[in-house]
Amino acid sequence: GEFVTFLIESIPERAMAARLGEPAHPLRRDPVDGISPVAIDGARAVWIEGRTRDRNNIYRRVELWTGELSPNLTLESATMVTALPRRTMATPALGGGVVAIPLEDRGNGLAVVRLGSTDMRVLRAPPDLMIERLLWVAADELAVQIGPGTMAEAPSRVQRIPLAVLPGLPPGG
């Protein structure tokens, strides 16, 4: 059946779901200080939760979560995957059991986590360039648009990167 997921922009944020023509309900029933939009790949879902938010939307702790999307459109068997090296909310991308999350600074890079593992890899842009856009993430590679971050300079380029070549994320991000 057709369904819609959406995020209600309020404090705290709540990810909601609804079948077309039916009332919306929360995807996740447990209270959180902040939640990202939910990325869904089949029945598997990932999202980011923030804990202890201040007035500037800075969190004391930001975590990657996973769970199964039930036929009733709720997130079941929610499990924290890992803490993330960031203090603000982000939107995860999911494909082939791999999650990509922007690092704290805009264009600074991506943290990459394979579900079922807490091993975190990192993709950083070359000096003087930035990751302008994540194009896709799959079980064995990701693709990004890398460029100067402005339209006035050299054009951007698309790069496909095997996950196996990504280095681990050092402690402290």
Side-chain angles (χ1 to χ4, degrees):
E2 295 181 12
F3 65 92
V4 176
T5 62
F6 55 94
L7 186 70
I8 292 183
E9 296 292 339
S10 65
I11 298 177
E13 293 97 344
R14 292 177 64 190
M16 306 289 284
R19 293 194 189 283
L20 295 177
E22 294 180 9
H25 63 273
L27 269 170
R28 181 132 160 79
R29 304 231 182 256
D30 297 330
V32 296
D33 292 324
I35 188 169
S36 72
V38 178
I40 300 171
D41 185 5
R44 180 178 282 176
V46 296
W47 64 96
I48 296 172
E49 291 186 8
R51 307 278 180 214
T52 315
R53 177 176 50 199
D54 69 15
R55 290 181 175 181
N56 295 313
N57 289 328
I58 306 296
Y59 297 91
R60 183 167 290 154
R61 183 174 170 93
V62 176
E63 305 161 338
L64 175 64
W65 284 72
T66 187
E68 299 296 319
L69 184 64
S70 77
N72 297 331
L73 302 180
T74 58
L75 296 170
E76 304 294 332
S77 305
T79 306
M80 201 245 321
V81 176
T82 188
L84 297 171
R86 55 179 304 122
R87 296 291 174 249
T88 57
M89 194 53 64
T91 300
L94 171 64
V98 176
V99 185
I101 307 112
L103 292 174
E104 193 73 54
D105 296 328
R106 181 181 174 268
N108 187 30
L110 296 169
V112 180
V113 177
R114 184 175 302 282
L115 294 176
S117 165
T118 57
D119 181 42
M120 193 176 309
R121 303 278 169 185
V122 66
L123 171 64
R124 294 198 190 272
D128 300 323
L129 296 176
M130 64 184 289
I131 297 172
E132 296 173 329
R133 182 176 307 170
L134 172 65
L135 300 172
W136 72 77
V137 60
D140 59 348
E141 73 174 8
L142 54 83
V144 292
Q145 178 179 321
I146 295 178
T150 65
M151 294 175 52
E153 298 182 30
S156 303
R157 68 179 187 266
V158 172
Q159 259 186 292
R160 294 173 65 178
I161 300 148
L163 298 180
V165 304
L166 297 178
L169 187 67

